[in-house]
Amino acid sequence: MKIVRRAYAKQITAAARVADERVETAFAEVPREDFLGPGPWPIFRMRKAYVPTPAADPVYLYTDDVVGIVPERHINNGQPSLHAFLLSQAAPRAGEHIVHVGAGAGYYSAIMAKLVGASGKVTAIEFEPELAARAKANLAPYPNVSVVPGDGSSVAFDTADVIYVNAGATRPANIWLDRLNNGGRLILPLTTDLGFTSSNWSNMHLRGAVFLVMRRGEDFTRNGFRRSPSSPVKECAMRNRKKRSRRRSKAGSTSG
């Protein structure tokens, strides 16, 4: 499977136009099947439904597809190329602390653990108790990861260099901005109240976008990504942090 995983990592990073070899290596080193339970696995097909893999062979997991973790609730292991792109934008470095909000079953938390190395750490937060338990078991081989069950918009955590939100929110939670280190990066998917889980996929692109928020002292800047990683980037500044929204974020479905 090592050859299969390496080919998968090359393909998804190429699809996302990711040039960071560290991201490719992290995807190549983490077995996806270790986090998704026994097969066959439900693969999500846009505008259709979940389609099971033909067999329980893990080779079927090494495609750029969304896989259901709890498919009846549309809780998924998200699209690898999207996460490769967003992780490359967050640019975690060895020794840094990543807080992963919406860790799901832990697959992308494990990839983050590879990116920060043994000298860094990952705090994986998961709201759903059964998923938090699964993530804790799945991530046991990764000593630099701790799993915290709870609401990622309010649970306490140490200050972080990267906060990677893996659930749709209608606004940033106060703690995500307050606990971001100077020079830190926040990956923030913002949605409308419909979120990303409606069955009407035809206008999904109108319901949200992903932002990279960067802290510079008391100021924040943000880059907004459209649906395609190859699309232009919009940029503006958030100059007065006191004027930001004080309302709690509303998390959508987990995609970890």
Side-chain angles (χ1 to χ4, degrees):
M1 289 300 295
K2 288 184 178 180
I3 294 175
V4 172
R5 281 196 289 271
R6 176 59 70 176
Y8 153 82
K10 285 185 175 295
Q11 289 167 355
I12 62 170
T13 52
R17 301 185 182 182
V18 172
D20 188 342
E21 292 184 0
R22 295 175 61 250
V23 174
E24 179 186 318
T25 298
F27 273 86
E29 290 181 348
V30 177
R32 200 178 188 190
E33 62 271 23
D34 287 357
F35 297 86
L36 298 181
W41 298 275
I43 307 296
F44 183 73
R45 301 302 183 193
M46 192 70 78
R47 298 185 178 90
K48 293 182 180 179
Y50 293 92
V51 177
T53 57
D57 187 337
V59 72
Y60 292 112
L61 295 175
Y62 291 99
T63 59
D64 194 24
D65 288 312
V66 172
V67 181
I69 301 173
V70 188
E72 63 274 17
R73 297 175 57 193
H74 295 281
I75 298 177
N76 303 308
N77 178 247
Q79 186 179 27
S81 63
L82 173 62
H83 286 279
F85 173 70
L86 294 177
L87 285 167
S88 74
Q89 297 301 305
R93 295 181 285 270
E96 290 193 324
H97 177 208
I98 303 178
V99 172
H100 185 192
V101 178
Y107 175 60
Y108 292 108
S109 301
I111 290 172
M112 294 173 196
K114 293 288 186 180
L115 289 169
V116 297
S119 61
K121 66 177 182 177
V122 176
T123 301
I125 303 173
E126 174 51 48
F127 179 76
E128 299 291 341
E130 66 275 17
L131 279 181
R134 283 177 60 180
K136 185 174 183 179
N138 292 338
L139 290 164
Y142 299 82
N144 59 341
V145 181
S146 59
V147 177
V148 179
D151 184 343
S153 67
S154 59
V155 68
F157 54 80
D158 293 339
T159 57
D161 303 292
V162 175
I163 299 175
Y164 192 95
V165 180
N166 214 168
T170 56
R171 60 193 59 83
N174 294 338
I175 194 170
W176 300 341
L177 300 175
D178 292 337
R179 304 301 287 169
L180 194 62
N181 285 331
N182 187 28
R185 291 84 67 201
L186 165 64
I187 295 293
L188 177 64
L190 291 180
T191 76
T192 67
D193 287 335
L194 287 176
F196 293 126
T197 59
S198 171
S199 60
N200 180 10
W201 293 93
S202 61
N203 62 351
M204 185 62 66
H205 65 288
L206 301 177
R207 297 190 199 145
V210 181
F211 293 88
L212 169 63
V213 179
M214 295 164 284
R215 183 167 190 169
R216 300 289 183 266
E218 291 299 300
D219 293 338
F220 295 83
T221 62
R222 72 177 186 266
N223 292 343
F225 308 115
R226 299 179 184 177
R227 282 183 62 84
S228 169
S230 62
S231 296
V233 173
K234 300 176 290 181
E235 191 170 327
C236 59
M238 300 178 349
R239 292 297 180 189
N240 189 344
R241 67 194 296 256
K242 292 182 180 178
K243 293 183 180 179
R244 68 176 182 263
S245 170
R246 292 293 178 182
R247 298 177 63 189
R248 281 185 59 190
S249 67
K250 295 181 180 178
S253 63
T254 301
S255 184

